[in-house]
Every structure is written in C-alpha cells, then in structure tokens.
Amino acid sequence: MAGEGEVLGEDTRRIVVLVSGRGSNLMALHAAISGHEAGGVACGVRARIAAVVANRECAALVWAREHQIATRLVDESRLSDRADFDVQLGEAVASFAPDLVVMAGFLRIVSASFLQLFDGRILNIHPSLLPAFRGLHTHRKALGAGVLLHGATVHWVSAELDAGPILGQAVVAVGECDDEHALAARVLRMEHRLLPLVVRRVLEQLPPAGVLPSPREAATAQAPCWPPILPRILLVEDALVAHRDARP
Ligand code: GAR
C-alpha cells in the first residue's frame, strides 16, 4: 500500500528515513538505491525513500525537499510533551506505510510505543563500534579511551539506547595524529558505504507483498518470520588493510 496518495510498484520497498541534521547518510542511501555509487558501493535493491521525517528543521529536510522527496517535520520545539511528540512521530511515519524505517542521524530517543508501531522494522546507524561508546561524542570518547580501532555500527533498534542486535560494522584505524574532526570524517565515509549495504541485505529478505508481520504475528501465523537472522556485514577501511599488509 502506498502512503500519501503515491503509487509504487508492488515490489518496490518503501523506506522512511528519520533525520535531525546534515543528512549525509540519507544522501548516500538515496544515491545507492537510485542506482548510483555510494562511497564506491552500488546497492541495487528496488526501493524508494518514501519520505524523510525530522524532529527539527535541518539541512537533511531541505535536501529532501529539493529532491522532491516527501517530508514531514514533527517539530520537537513545539511539542514539549514527550508522549505527544511520540504519537505524532508515529502517525507521521505510519502515513507513508514504510517497509523499513531507517534512523540516519536521528538524534532523539524513540519511545516504546513508537518501537511497537514499527516492531522489527527500525534500523539505526551509530558512529562507534557498539557496544563501545553509546550516546553522543563517540569520536571524542574513542580518542579519550586510546582505542586503536573505531568505526560505525548499523543495528536493529530496541528499547535500550544504541543496543539492538548488530547487523553490520565498519572499522577504521585511529591514527596517531587523529583529532576528533579527522576521525569523524573517516568514520563517516565508511558509514556511507555500510548503511546502503545493510539496508539492501535487510530489504532482500522482505516478504514479496511488502507487508511485514510484527514478530508477534509472525510467531502465530504462517507469515514469514521477521526479523530474520542475517549474515552480518563487516567493512574494513582500505588504509587499515594496507597498514596491516605492510607489517612483517
Ligand atoms: C552520523 O555520524 C550518524 O552515525 C550519527 O549522526 C551522524 C549523522 O550524520 N548518529 C548518531 O550519533 C545516532 N546515535 P548525517 O546527518 O550526515 O548522516
């Protein structure tokens, strides 16, 4: 079923992307599913970004409007009551009938009621190798902890912050001279490769009708089991491979 009066092919998977900021992961995903290259990795899945939904005015929303993608702003500054915000966010996303919800730089914790609405259908990308460095300022934390490896994770969203089952990780080496800015930029480049790959892997498993049962329904009916156990994706930065190969 297409939302907002839009008609799509039955086999086209519908993605709603949640954003709060600059939107570079949104752009990488859009480029990949439009058949272009995203960070050197093509993603050939039949899918559409049905809408971009934000909790504040941001560059990602502007970009989406410029690219004729449906947008919805659920303005947190006008909704001081958290429950109200959660209800409106749920309604906004549901109106686009998503097969998959992708949190790409959505800097807000979602409620249990929102999770229930899209049970087993929400992905998040986080800029650290989870379970290390949950929450904000992950690059600063990685530098402070003196780790040699850092990166990004795509995971299913669960009730606990940055803690759902991991679907893929991208690894970068932390250089001796890295500051927060340099490290963030290298991790972000890997995010742009990782997210489309994980989205493709998840979408490839979607039931043909594009209607996902919740895990509870799947357990009771003959509906396809969702979410499935998927082979996880590991990406390693080229510089890290070269560094390893140069060692005796
Ligand atoms: C990305 O680095 C993403 O991993 C991070 O926000 C950035 C958004 O950048 N997400 C989180 O920190 C969520 N905990 P973008 O707007 O350019 O895609």
Side-chain angles (χ1 to χ4, degrees):
M1 184 184 73
E4 298 282 303
E6 182 191 9
V7 179
L8 296 178
E10 264 190 21
D11 58 344
T12 303
R13 303 293 177 242
R14 303 174 57 81
I15 305 171
V16 170
V17 184
L18 302 186
V19 294
S20 300
R22 138 193 82 180
S24 69
N25 276 295
L26 162 69
M27 295 172 208
L29 185 59
H30 181 261
I33 65 180
S34 306
H36 302 303
E37 291 281 302
V41 179
C43 176
V45 76
R46 282 177 73 84
R48 279 276 299 275
I49 295 180
V52 173
V53 177
N55 58 328
R56 57 182 78 138
E57 265 302 342
C58 58
L61 266 189
V62 174
W63 180 89
R65 288 181 195 121
E66 284 170 2
H67 287 76
Q68 284 76 51
I69 299 170
T71 59
R72 191 66 63 80
L73 172 63
V74 184
D75 192 344
E76 62 188 2
S77 67
R78 289 166 181 268
L79 291 162
S80 50
D81 185 83
R82 186 162 172 215
D84 280 355
F85 175 87
D86 290 338
V87 168
Q88 296 210 18
L89 182 70
E91 286 175 1
V93 174
S95 72
F96 295 101
D99 293 299
L100 192 64
V101 179
V102 176
M103 293 171 47
F106 187 62
L107 301 181
R108 183 159 176 132
I109 296 172
V110 290
S111 66
S113 60
F114 183 83
L115 288 180
Q116 230 170 1
L117 266 182
F118 306 102
D119 205 4
R121 285 185 269 167
I122 314 175
L123 302 184
N124 180 47
I125 184 157
H126 180 76
S128 77
L129 295 175
L130 289 173
F133 314 130
R134 294 174 180 168
L136 298 174
H137 310 302
T138 56
H139 310 302
R140 195 182 308 166
K141 288 174 186 167
L143 288 169
V147 292
L148 299 183
L149 297 176
H150 184 44
T153 303
V154 179
H155 62 97
W156 291 115
V157 174
S158 66
E160 198 183 339
L161 178 68
D162 299 331
I166 290 172
L167 287 159
Q169 291 193 310
V171 184
V172 306
V174 180
E176 299 287 336
C177 304
D178 270 340
D179 60 12
E180 205 176 326
H181 180 74
L183 187 55
R186 287 214 319 286
V187 171
L188 192 65
R189 273 202 295 280
M190 295 300 283
E191 291 185 41
H192 296 165
R193 294 175 55 194
L194 179 66
L195 183 62
L197 284 175
V198 174
V199 166
R200 174 173 64 180
R201 182 154 288 180
V202 169
L203 290 177
E204 280 168 353
Q205 303 295 320
L206 274 180
V211 178
L212 291 177
S214 75
R216 265 180 297 282
E217 287 166 341
T220 53
Q222 290 93 4
C225 176
W226 190 266
I229 297 165
L230 300 169
R232 293 177 295 175
I233 291 172
L234 173 63
L235 287 183
V236 179
E237 177 190 41
D238 291 345
L240 182 57
V241 177
H243 177 77
R244 184 202 62 191
D245 291 348
R247 294 285 154 134

